[in-house]
């Protein structure tokens, strides 16, 4: 079990009790917008002695150790069995290690703290070359590097991935909070622009909110929070996130249904044993106003509380009328209960936006109109969403090498939507003069409530069989999901001009219920993953999972209809990792996933009898940690294949059959970390060759690219600390051309797929401290004011924001001084 280090931090904080009054005075002053000079609340972090690690101790996770006093070699062997960390000896003659006696280690410690305890009184020092390799030597003769680095393991939020990232046979990209903070990121989709191989799609008629494509396949239903599904139709704000983790390739073994191209896991901020308050106040162009606050407070020896707040209001650069308004609150409570730890997290986010479905397609290309054109009815269009997610997590060490984590969640999502989708009138032809072209205003109106409840339990065990160390993770989960969307269809809505739409035109139209769906789905799953450490250079991973997905769907509009489907499916994973050096690995991986017909909590007469789609992924890659773990490099070749895609049966248009085959072959490279002490870099490139390989329903489309899949994507974000503590940053993103669909609808006039052109977007940042606890940051977005098309849908296309700027004041009270 990997738990956060609370007890030692609590002892340090008791010594600072005399500072509490000044701290809370400063907090109150900040609330009154006058806390810019509150340096008295600063807390000096304790520097680790005689050791080095890849993270500050307050950020590391811990486990319980039961290593008795005795000869040091035996203690180090027990340490390796528990942690998987290999300890080598330097500067000591052969055989002399047996003369050292260790006092042992008993209690909650990080790996580094436990090694320090084992060496106490021996005059030996240590150095961690990586999270899984350490060296001990005679103390005082070697320089120790203490650096900050992105987390090297996902075990805190995803216990099913309990190895260093470098040793997991899968492409995994991590976007740390540090990067999104530098960029002034305010949406999940903007944070994901830091990951190659991801492209953004527009909201659909029945599902607004974050919609994306990973490695060529839709990931609309593959968003998770701390390892549990987050399927609500809303736009997510990253104010309560510690980092984003994108796990690529089919992953049904670890996440259940879906995940053809990969999943996005949102790792949330939980209570820690640090005393701090971090507030960010932002103003900017386009009436941007935003404030976030992150308050953490420990109470006593074993309890800590954290509160994150967010309020945001802004328009969209270059898009008239569109406006985003949202509020969020995310409290977290952590308490130690004997040898267990209980963490309770809650997230509430509410939004009331004036939505934007962009501009219409002009046959098979984006309409040649001004970027500011708005085709909706600002006084009648709205997008109101709420998300409430409550989670309780109990972690307990059953022994020195076995731990159990149980997580319970209940979430509810509300949505009330009316959005205008502009489409060319059917009477328009290519010869119609543009100033005489009219567009219809399709009204998309949905009201729905969804719920999600799940119990998830994971058991982790480390044990030896002969000379082979096993790291086994096994678990079960059961959940229930409901959805009840009611959709309206409108008639009599006035049309408008393509070139000169009138957003002030009064809304008119008659609404009628088109569908009224009631869905209840239950899921039961069980899995096991075993990683065999066969010596210092080889790891073998094998895993299997079984899922049962049971869905009942009632359509209560018109003549009531009922559909029921049960799918029981296995999933598999196998991988091999070769470690030619302590800092690098070469791996191969094979994994599967499946997509049931009711995956999105919807069934119809055409899909109720259709079995799940099945997906396969093969991947060959390499990962290296350089500069003592401060810089990570990754590269991979992959093939992801949907072997039996759903299509319309040409012999029965009312039935879906599994007759298609879709494939994506690709290559990815990524760099993340510190190139030098002052230069930080996050960059990635992906080339994808997507193709419809086989189709019975659309034979003429064989060979076409898959929807929303660019051939090339490239992203970079780089910061550099320069003289006088200035920090400058620059970044950019390239997205190649994309089609809005794979097979249909073809444009009836040109008989071509709708396609959006490629684009480049560049951003910049400069920041500078004002005193010890305040940092001023200026962000510039879309420096060239590029007019590009960001979010695609077969029915509409949304331009990206124009040039904009924001100015932020980051105020830190308590904790380590990041300036």
């Amino acid at each position: 079990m990997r738990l956060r280090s609370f007890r030692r931090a609590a002892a340090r904080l008791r010594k600072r009790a005399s500072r509490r009054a000044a701290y809370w005075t400063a907090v109150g002053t900040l609330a009154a917008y006058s806390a810019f000079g509150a340096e008295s609340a600063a807390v000096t972090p304790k520097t680790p002695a005689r050791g080095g690690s890849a993270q500050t101790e307050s950020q590391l996770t811990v486990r319980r150790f039961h290593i008795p006093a005795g000869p040091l070699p035996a203690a180090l062997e027990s340490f390796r069995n528990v942690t998987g960390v290999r300890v080598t000896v330097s500067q000591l003659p052969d055989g002399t290690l047996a003369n050292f006696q260790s006092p042992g280690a008993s209690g909650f410690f990080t790996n580094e703290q436990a090694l320090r305890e084992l060496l106490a009184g021996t005059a030996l020092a240590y150095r961690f070359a990586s999270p899984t390799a350490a060296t001990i030597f005679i103390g005082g003769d070697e320089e120790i590097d203490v650096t900050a680095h992105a987390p090297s393991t996902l075990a805190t939020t995803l216990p099913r991935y309990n190895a260093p990232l470098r040793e997991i046979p899968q492409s995994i990209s991590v976007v740390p909070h540090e990067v999104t903070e530098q960029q002034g990121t305010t949406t999940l989709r903007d944070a994901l622009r830091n990951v190659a191989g991801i492209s953004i799609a527009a909201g659909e008629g029945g599902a607004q909110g974050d919609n994306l494509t990973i490695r060529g396949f839709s990931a609309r239903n593959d968003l998770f929070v701390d390892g549990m599904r987050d399927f609500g139709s809303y736009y997510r704000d990253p104010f309560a996130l510690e980092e984003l983790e994108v796990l690529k390739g089919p992953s049904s073994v670890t996440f259940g249904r879906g995940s053809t191209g990969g999943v996005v896991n949102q790792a949330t901020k939980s209570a820690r044993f640090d005393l701090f308050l971090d507030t960010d106040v932002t103003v900017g162009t386009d009436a941007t106003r935003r404030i976030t606050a992150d308050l953490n407070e420990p109470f006593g020896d074993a309890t800590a509380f954290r509160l994150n707040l967010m309020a945001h209001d802004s328009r969209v650069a270059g898009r008239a009328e569109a406006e985003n308004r949202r509020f969020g609150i995310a409290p977290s409570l952590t308490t130690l209960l004997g040898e267990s730890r209980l963490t309770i997290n809650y997230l509430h986010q509410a939004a009331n936006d004036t939505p934007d479905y962009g501009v219409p397609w002009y046959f098979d290309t984006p309409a040649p109109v001004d970027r500011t054109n708005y085709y909706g009815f600002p006084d009648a269009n709205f997008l109101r969403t709420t998300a409430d997610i409550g989670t309780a997590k109990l972690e307990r060490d059953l022994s020195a090498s076995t731990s159990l984590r149980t997580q319970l969640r209940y979430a509810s999502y509300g949505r009330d939507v009316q959005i205008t989708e502009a489409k060319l009138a059917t009477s328009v032809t290519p010869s119609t003069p543009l100033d005489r072209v009219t567009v219809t205003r399709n009204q998309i109106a949905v009201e729905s409530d969804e719920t999600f409840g799940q119990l998830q339990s994971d058991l982790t065990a480390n044990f030896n069989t002969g000379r082979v160390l096993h790291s086994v993770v096994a678990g079960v989960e059961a959940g229930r999901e409901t959805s009840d969307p009611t959709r309206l269809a409108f008639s009599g809505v006035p049309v408008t001009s393509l070139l000169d739409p009138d957003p002030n035109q009064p809304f008119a139209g008659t609404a009628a219920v088109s569908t009224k769906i009631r869905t209840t789905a239950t899921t039961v799953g069980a899995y096991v993953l075993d990683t065999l450490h066969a010596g210092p250079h080889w790891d073998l991973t094998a895993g299997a999972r079984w899922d049962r997905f049971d869905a009942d769907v009632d359509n209560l509009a018109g003549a009531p209809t009922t559909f029921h489907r049960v799918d029981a499916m296995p999933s598999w994973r196998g991988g091999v990792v070769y470690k030619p050096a302590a800092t690098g690995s070469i791996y191969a991986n094979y994994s599967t996933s499946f997509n049931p017909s009711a995956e999105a909590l919807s069934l119809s007469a055409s899909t109720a009898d259709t079995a799940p789609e099945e997906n396969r992924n093969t991947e060959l890659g390499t990962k290296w940690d350089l500069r003592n773990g401060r810089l990570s490099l990754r590269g991979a070749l992959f093939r992801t294949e949907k072997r039996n895609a759903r299509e319309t049966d040409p012999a029965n248009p009312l039935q879906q059959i599994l007759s298609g085959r879709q494939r994506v072959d690709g290559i990815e490279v990524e760099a993340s970390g510190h190139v030098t002490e002052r230069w930080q870099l996050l960059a990635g490139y992906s080339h994808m060759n997507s193709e419809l390989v086989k189709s019975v329903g659309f034979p003429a489309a064989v060979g076409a690219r898959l929807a929303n899949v660019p051939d090339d994507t490239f992203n970079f974000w780089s910061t550099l600390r320069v003289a006088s503590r200035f920090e400058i940053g620059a970044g950019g993103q390239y997205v190649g051309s994309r089609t809005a669909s794979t097979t249909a609808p073809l444009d009836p006039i040109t008989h071509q797929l709708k396609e959006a052109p490629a684009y480049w977007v560049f951003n910049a940042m400069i920041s500078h401290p004002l005193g010890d606890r305040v940092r001023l940051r200026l962000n510039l977005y879309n420096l060239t004011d590029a007019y590009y098309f960001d979010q695609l849908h077969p029915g509409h296309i949304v331009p990206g924001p124009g040039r904009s700027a924001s100015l932020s004041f980051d105020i830190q009270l308590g904790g380590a001084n990041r300036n």
Side-chain angles (χ1 to χ4, degrees), residues 311-566:
H312 179 97
D313 190 351
S314 72
R315 294 188 177 273
V316 179
R319 295 295 299 153
E321 309 299 340
E323 186 170 2
N324 300 312
R325 298 173 290 265
R326 56 185 179 270
F327 166 79
I329 180 171
S332 174
L333 177 71
T334 298
T335 184
L336 294 178
L337 304 172
E339 296 186 359
S340 300
R341 186 179 79 166
L342 174 66
T343 301
I344 299 174
N345 290 340
Y346 173 71
L347 169 69
H348 171 77
Q349 182 183 311
N352 184 6
D353 299 339
T354 301
D356 180 15
Y357 260 26
V359 302
W361 290 96
Y362 184 72
F363 304 108
D364 57 11
T365 63
V369 299
D370 191 276
R371 178 165 55 191
T372 62
N373 279 14
Y374 186 82
Y375 295 88
F377 300 91
D379 295 333
N381 289 165
F382 52 84
L383 174 56
R384 304 175 186 131
T385 60
T386 59
D388 292 274
I389 305 172
T391 308
K393 178 174 64 176
L394 182 66
E395 300 165 288
R396 181 175 179 82
D397 287 304
L398 305 179
S399 69
S401 58
T402 306
S403 61
L404 179 67
R405 188 190 86 154
T406 299
Q407 192 165 234
L408 176 66
R409 171 170 296 167
Y410 179 79
S412 65
Y413 307 92
R415 182 169 45 126
D416 189 8
V417 180
Q418 184 174 324
I419 302 177
T420 299
E421 180 183 51
K423 296 186 175 183
L424 287 188
T426 56
S427 60
V428 174
T429 69
S431 62
T432 305
L434 285 177
D435 60 358
R436 297 181 59 185
V437 172
T438 59
V439 297
T440 60
R441 289 157 149 176
N442 176 39
Q443 298 301 296
I444 297 170
V446 184
E447 184 176 358
S448 69
D449 290 291
E450 284 100 20
T451 67
F452 173 79
Q454 188 176 62
L455 178 66
Q456 186 183 86
S457 191
D458 301 289
L459 179 71
T460 302
N462 296 300
F463 58 89
N464 288 328
T465 56
R467 310 185 89 178
V468 177
L469 172 65
H470 294 258
S471 296
V472 176
V473 185
V476 296
E477 63 185 39
R480 182 177 184 269
E481 301 164 69
T482 69
S483 178
D484 64 350
T486 297
R487 297 181 177 88
L488 304 179
F490 284 80
S491 60
V493 179
V495 300
T496 191
S497 165
L498 173 68
L499 295 183
D500 189 23
D502 182 7
N504 298 317
Q505 185 177 9
F507 174 75
T510 302
V513 174
S514 60
T515 60
K516 190 174 184 178
I517 306 296
R518 300 291 181 269
T519 301
T520 300
T522 57
T523 302
V524 177
Y527 78 96
V528 61
L529 283 165
D530 186 8
T531 300
L532 292 77
H533 305 280
H537 297 295
W538 292 95
D539 290 345
L540 302 175
T541 298
R545 178 179 174 122
W546 176 84
D547 283 281
R548 185 180 188 273
F549 184 58
D550 185 342
D552 287 287
V553 179
D554 297 314
N555 187 348
L556 306 179
T561 54
T562 298
F563 305 101
H564 176 241
R565 177 161 188 88
V566 177

Side-chain angles (χ1 to χ4, degrees), residues 89-100 124 138:
V89 180
S90 175
Q91 301 180 348
L92 288 173
D94 292 342
T96 58
L97 192 64
N99 298 325
F100 290 87
L124 297 175
I138 299 173

Side-chain angles (χ1 to χ4, degrees), residues 617-650:
N617 182 75
T618 53
E619 183 173 320
L620 177 66
T622 184
K623 303 178 184 180
W624 293 85
D625 289 340
L626 308 178
R627 302 193 70 247
N628 292 325
R630 285 175 281 182
L631 178 64
S632 297
L633 304 178
R634 177 182 67 82
L637 297 168
F638 65 90
R639 166 173 285 187
T640 304
E641 190 171 35
K642 186 178 289 292
R643 306 180 68 182
N644 56 346
R646 278 188 291 272
E647 296 184 326
T648 300
D649 186 350

Side-chain angles (χ1 to χ4, degrees), residues 50 72-73 76 87-101 119 122-126 135-139 141-142:
R50 306 184 67 191
L72 182 57
L76 294 177
V87 180
T88 58
V89 180
S90 175
Q91 301 180 348
L92 288 173
D94 292 342
T96 58
L97 192 64
N99 298 325
F100 290 87
Q101 293 291 310
L119 298 180
T122 64
L124 297 175
Y126 66 89
T135 301
I136 59 176
F137 49 89
I138 299 173
D141 294 333
E142 238 180 278

